[in-house]
Amino acid sequence: MDDGKRTPWVVGISGASGTPYAASVLRGLLAAGESVDLIVSRASRLTLLDETGIGFRDAHWREDLATWLARGADGKPDAYGDVDVGDVRYWAAGDLAAGPSSGSYPAKGMLIVPASTAAVAGVALGLSKDLLQRVASVTLKERRPLVVAVRETPLSGQTLKQMVALDEAGAVVLPASPAFYAGATHIQDLVDFVAGRVLDAAGVPHGLYRRWRGELGGGAPGVPRAG
């Protein structure tokens, strides 16, 4: 981890619906040659089980992660084949002594995807009730990039205020809001658009969606997607 090239991005997965967004972000980071420190909240394990049928176990996290990342957003089990998770390090959500809980631990920044309104509130208020929230607080105090991919609708006034507080603290508040100009023809295209915008905010190169080129009609069916 001392080599700057290997300094990881911390990815926090909260309990909001939207585990395919997290899977796409993780695949994108690994494809870009990035290292990842992964935090999976207790609530997100239930969401993952509900949305994919995949359990996430501390003792078998590497096996479970590989199974999850191989799955497409449509539920196809082996859509992405064998995903190499060798550059992922896992930290239990209850481990407040974990490496990323300290500002002296090297990290490029943190991506919370998807972010529940509970996670938004906890980070905005500085609660640090679990490792995910603690690392987010550390990321802000160390002035590192923090991207919060909020997945909820509608949004209450209180949550909107908390999102403003995060923005004022330096975070990028990025609602999980798919666009259609990229020529989506499959649910995975919509998922990858959001994941791509998360990676854009982090400055990580990818080819997850067709970018706007200033030409109308580029998103019509049959138009190839460019990286």
Side-chain angles (χ1 to χ4, degrees), residues 33-218:
E34 300 285 349
S35 293
V36 174
D37 275 21
L38 179 64
I39 303 168
V40 180
S41 76
R42 291 186 176 91
S44 69
R45 296 176 187 231
L46 297 176
T47 307
L48 179 63
L49 183 62
D50 184 55
E51 293 185 343
T52 70
I54 297 171
F56 194 92
R57 303 161 293 175
D58 285 348
H60 303 279
W61 70 266
R62 196 176 295 275
E63 175 187 345
D64 293 339
L65 178 62
T67 300
W68 176 30
L69 296 188
R71 184 179 295 264
D74 62 355
K76 184 179 179 181
D78 297 312
Y80 290 92
D82 294 327
V83 179
D84 184 358
V85 297
D87 284 333
V88 180
R89 184 173 186 177
Y90 169 70
W91 301 94
D95 185 5
L96 293 179
S101 68
S102 171
S104 66
Y105 183 86
K108 291 183 177 180
M110 183 179 191
L111 315 175
I112 304 177
V113 53
S116 65
T117 55
V120 168
V123 176
L125 296 174
L127 296 183
S128 296
K129 75 177 184 67
D130 61 9
L131 183 60
L132 188 153
Q133 292 182 16
R134 169 59 185 168
V135 177
S137 295
V138 167
T139 302
L140 289 175
K141 80 179 183 68
E142 296 295 327
R143 301 296 190 265
R144 296 168 182 162
L146 173 63
V147 182
V148 183
V150 184
R151 216 309 303 163
E152 185 61 271
T153 190
L155 295 167
S156 70
Q158 192 61 43
T159 297
L160 290 169
K161 292 175 183 176
Q162 291 159 351
M163 290 165 63
V164 170
L166 288 178
D167 177 79
E168 291 175 343
V172 175
V173 179
L174 195 153
S177 178
F180 293 84
Y181 64 79
T185 59
H186 190 278
I187 186 174
Q188 189 68 57
D189 298 328
L190 298 175
V191 167
D192 286 346
F193 179 87
V194 172
R197 295 300 287 151
V198 171
L199 296 178
D200 286 345
V204 176
H206 65 86
L208 289 175
Y209 68 88
R210 186 189 70 85
R211 297 184 181 277
W212 175 248
R213 306 294 187 185
E215 300 176 358
L216 295 176

